[in-house]
Amino acid sequence: MTSEQQLFDETPLRRFEYDDSVVLAADVGPAADASVDVVDGTVIVVADGHQHEQEIPAGDARAFINHGVLTIELSEREGDY
């Protein structure tokens, strides 16, 4: 596993690379009405009436928010990362 940090909007975003996947994680805070979706290679987070977007590599992606932590799981396809 390797790890590095980048930004999602202004929030630190950690990137964890495994043999067959990449996981991105960010603490987006305890917004009660936060939601996340993946549309055409873009992760869209809506929290407290504000929308934030982050482009991600093409491929299978799953995103969810649990206890204020945004997690994006990317399944690696050969040559994508």
Side-chain angles (χ1 to χ4, degrees), residues 21-44:
S21 65
V22 173
V23 175
L24 306 172
D27 184 352
V28 295
D33 60 347
S35 63
V36 62
D37 199 3
V38 179
V39 179
D40 295 329
T42 301
V43 174
I44 302 169

Side-chain angles (χ1 to χ4, degrees), residues 41-53:
T42 301
V43 174
I44 302 169
V45 177
V46 178
D48 296 328
H50 300 286
Q51 180 171 310
H52 309 279
E53 298 180 5

Side-chain angles (χ1 to χ4, degrees), residues 2-79:
T2 61
S3 172
E4 65 182 62
Q5 187 168 328
Q6 58 192 67
L7 293 178
F8 180 93
D9 225 17
E10 295 181 14
T11 302
L13 179 69
R14 297 290 308 234
R15 178 184 177 107
F16 301 93
E17 295 186 18
Y18 300 95
D19 291 338
D20 61 348
S21 65
V22 173
V23 175
L24 306 172
D27 184 352
V28 295
D33 60 347
S35 63
V36 62
D37 199 3
V38 179
V39 179
D40 295 329
T42 301
V43 174
I44 302 169
V45 177
V46 178
D48 296 328
H50 300 286
Q51 180 171 310
H52 309 279
E53 298 180 5
Q54 175 73 38
E55 290 186 26
I56 56 174
D60 294 331
R62 184 173 85 114
F64 54 92
I65 298 175
N66 191 14
H67 300 291
V69 176
L70 167 65
T71 303
I72 305 163
E73 298 176 343
L74 306 168
S75 296
E76 188 171 359
R77 293 187 321 196
E78 190 171 330

